[in-house]
Amino acid sequence: VVGAVALVIAILLAKDFFTQTTTFNADIALLKAKIEVIANHDSSKKKIRNFLRSVPLMLDEDLFSSTIADMAVSNKVTVVSFTPGQNHEEDLYDSISASFDIEAQDYPALLSFLKALESAPFALRVDGCTIAKTSGETNKMPGQVESKEDQRNAELIKVHLDLTSVQIKR
């Protein structure tokens, strides 16, 4: 009888022990998962900070036109007109837009200018670009011989460029 009672008590104690062990193991697994999430969160925050540091800066409103004009001159294109646009404030970013009318003598100069815009250390976005080549019409008098300079001036490439400079809010 004593052996049977001892066996029943041992079974009840063992059952309680295994229940507690299972509960503790589940709690340990949950804590490990939480620690992993916290570690991932910290590393993600570091990655986001590094990404935001690597994002190019926005062009200042006062320097927008002069910077684009300097790029144009260095790439042998001419800024004919500049029209400031709107400043936009969104939840995640701020932006400044502007429109430029540009003339280029040839396509290589135009492509060089566009490449300079693309590789500029600023966050620039081309919103629209319209390119038109003017016809060979010149204002020469009848009987007057057309010079090569007149031909080049008569065949300009005219570009209307809508640019936006963007800054991500940090």
Side-chain angles (χ1 to χ4, degrees):
V1 171
V2 172
V5 171
L7 183 62
V8 170
I9 291 174
I11 291 174
L12 290 175
L13 289 176
K15 182 180 172 188
D16 188 42
F17 171 76
F18 287 122
T19 304
Q20 285 181 351
T21 303
T22 304
T23 305
F24 287 147
N25 286 337
D27 289 344
I28 289 171
L30 181 63
L31 289 173
K32 284 182 180 179
K34 287 181 180 181
I35 289 170
E36 187 177 322
V37 167
I38 291 169
N40 286 340
H41 179 263
D42 290 340
S43 69
S44 296
K45 281 176 62 176
K46 287 179 185 176
K47 287 178 183 177
I48 288 172
R49 276 194 299 265
N50 289 338
F51 169 74
L52 289 175
R53 278 190 220 116
S54 70
V55 172
L57 297 175
M58 179 172 155
L59 264 174
D60 186 283
E61 186 174 358
D62 298 330
L63 296 176
F64 201 150
S65 63
S66 62
T67 302
I68 302 302
D70 291 343
M71 284 183 193
V73 168
S74 67
N75 290 288
K76 300 176 183 156
V77 298
T78 306
V79 175
V80 178
S81 69
F82 162 72
T83 308
Q86 299 292 323
N87 295 347
H88 295 283
E89 286 192 28
E90 298 290 332
D91 292 337
L92 299 176
Y93 67 93
D94 294 331
S95 66
I96 300 172
S97 62
S99 295
F100 296 87
D101 287 320
I102 298 166
E103 291 181 347
Q105 292 289 330
D106 53 20
Y107 283 108
L110 176 61
L111 293 175
S112 174
F113 171 68
L114 293 175
K115 179 70 174 167
L117 286 177
E118 179 183 321
S119 61
F122 305 106
L124 290 174
R125 179 181 71 203
V126 176
D127 293 327
C129 182
T130 307
I131 301 172
K133 187 169 184 177
T134 58
S135 66
E137 295 292 320
T138 60
N139 296 329
K140 66 179 182 113
M141 301 288 283
Q144 183 181 7
V145 178
E146 188 173 16
S147 70
K148 288 190 179 203
E149 182 67 28
D150 290 337
Q151 287 176 349
R152 274 193 299 250
N153 287 338
E155 294 183 359
L156 289 175
I157 300 166
K158 296 186 178 196
V159 180
H160 179 79
L161 192 60
D162 296 320
L163 290 177
T164 300
S165 183
V166 179
Q167 180 176 8
I168 295 175
K169 291 184 180 177
R170 298 171 191 221

